[in-house]
Amino acid sequence: MGLSITTDQANFAHDVLEASYQKPVLVDFFATWCGPCQMLKPLLEKLAQEYDFVLAKVDIDQNQELAQAYDVQGVPDVRIVLDGEVTEGFVGVLPEPQLRELMAQLNLKSTLEIGLTQVYDAAVIGQMELAQTTLKALLDQYPDNRELQLEAAEFMIEAEQFDEAGSILKSIQDHEKGYSQRANALKATIQFKRASTQSSHGTELDQQFQKAAELVVQKDYQAALEILLELVSRDRTYRDDGARKAMLDVFNLLGNEHPLTTEYRKRLMLILY
């Protein structure tokens, strides 16, 4: 989407200053002997493939006058150029999340962000087939992007395509901190949505369980937990201890720090032990 080039003293004005009137330019002052420079380089090149900016790399040993002109004291030193004006960026290596924050500050969107916007724009006007085709293409393009997988699973759940959502979530493992908790919450959402749409013709316990599931879908978590807690106290064998497991799913949805999680976890423990 963007462009990654190597520039020098002779071409700097054209490659950087003039180009910056068309799109942002990041100038990476580096040295071949610099370890941190070698760490930063692939990160910047990766972003240049995703975002619409020019990455201009300058070897300070080969372009000492240029480095002196811009008072480069240490490398890597990244400068930001907009409309011909060179401003400070950062010195050293930034982790990828912070580099992406910099992209946002420059009002740049990645191909992934643009693609997701297209997905939701299509869904809003009822073109669900186009939305799903675009989403599948993004998943194929970014097969290891956990944020995308979670976003896609949420989209599929809203579209009531529970099997597809569950299939996407299978790739996220419990040891993946920062992702597994959200994935488990989405899995719980799938279970409650399935239960809320099941036939209500059943025992009184079945009807109560379905009511609790409906309340969870409506985000009336306290009322749902009250019903599930009563079901636990009445019959632990119902749905193979399903009411207790459903309470744990609600806790996953709410998070460990939520007041309702704290309250009802204590009340559940009192019933169990």
Side-chain angles (χ1 to χ4, degrees), residues 35-84:
C37 297
Q38 305 311 314
M39 295 172 59
L40 180 63
K41 178 182 176 182
L43 294 175
L44 293 176
E45 290 177 338
K46 175 184 176 182
L47 293 178
Q49 293 177 352
E50 296 182 37
Y51 295 84
D52 192 17
F53 72 92
V54 175
L55 172 63
K57 294 166 286 188
V58 178
D59 186 334
I60 62 168
D61 291 326
Q62 300 296 323
N63 299 275
Q64 295 183 17
E65 291 184 7
L66 198 56
Q68 290 173 2
Y70 287 101
D71 194 29
V72 175
Q73 301 293 322
V75 286
D77 186 332
V78 176
R79 305 294 175 93
I80 299 169
V81 190
L82 297 169
D83 296 329

Side-chain angles (χ1 to χ4, degrees), residues 33-244:
W33 45 261
C34 165
C37 297
Q38 305 311 314
M39 295 172 59
L40 180 63
K41 178 182 176 182
L43 294 175
L44 293 176
E45 290 177 338
K46 175 184 176 182
L47 293 178
Q49 293 177 352
E50 296 182 37
Y51 295 84
D52 192 17
F53 72 92
V54 175
L55 172 63
K57 294 166 286 188
V58 178
D59 186 334
I60 62 168
D61 291 326
Q62 300 296 323
N63 299 275
Q64 295 183 17
E65 291 184 7
L66 198 56
Q68 290 173 2
Y70 287 101
D71 194 29
V72 175
Q73 301 293 322
V75 286
D77 186 332
V78 176
R79 305 294 175 93
I80 299 169
V81 190
L82 297 169
D83 296 329
E85 182 179 355
V86 181
T87 61
E88 291 184 1
F90 61 90
V91 177
V93 180
L94 293 184
E96 186 173 330
Q98 285 185 246
L99 291 173
R100 292 187 182 276
E101 288 177 11
L102 177 61
M103 298 294 103
Q105 292 169 11
L106 294 173
N107 295 318
L108 294 173
K109 289 188 176 181
S110 68
T111 51
L112 175 55
E113 292 169 321
I114 293 171
L116 284 173
T117 298
Q118 293 171 345
V119 168
Y120 287 105
D121 286 347
V124 165
I125 60 176
Q127 295 184 351
M128 292 303 296
E129 185 174 347
L130 174 60
Q132 291 169 18
T133 299
T134 305
L135 188 57
K136 184 179 184 303
L138 289 173
L139 288 168
D140 290 341
Q141 186 176 356
Y142 302 97
D144 300 318
N145 190 305
R146 295 305 192 220
E147 289 289 346
L148 172 60
Q149 290 166 345
L150 291 167
E151 189 85 13
E154 287 186 16
F155 181 88
M156 293 298 183
I157 290 170
E158 287 299 318
E160 297 189 350
Q161 297 189 4
F162 304 132
D163 289 341
E164 291 84 349
S167 178
I168 292 170
L169 293 171
K170 283 181 180 179
S171 63
I172 301 176
Q173 305 300 311
D174 287 340
H175 64 81
E176 297 183 76
K177 294 183 179 180
Y179 301 112
S180 60
Q181 185 173 352
R182 288 173 59 191
N184 289 335
L186 290 174
K187 290 175 184 177
T189 299
I190 292 171
Q191 296 305 316
F192 284 118
K193 289 212 169 195
R194 285 188 188 278
S196 70
T197 57
Q198 290 174 351
S199 172
S200 60
H201 300 296
T203 67
E204 179 196 354
L205 294 181
D206 290 331
Q207 294 174 15
Q208 288 293 96
F209 189 87
Q210 182 181 19
K211 178 61 177 177
E214 291 173 354
L215 289 168
V216 172
V217 172
Q218 297 165 10
K219 299 185 178 181
D220 189 349
Y221 299 115
Q222 184 166 10
L225 286 167
E226 281 291 339
I227 292 174
L228 292 171
L229 191 65
E230 181 184 356
L231 290 175
V232 172
S233 66
R234 289 176 63 181
D235 189 352
R236 288 288 304 280
T237 64
Y238 173 71
R239 283 179 174 252
D240 190 23
D241 206 13
R244 181 188 65 83

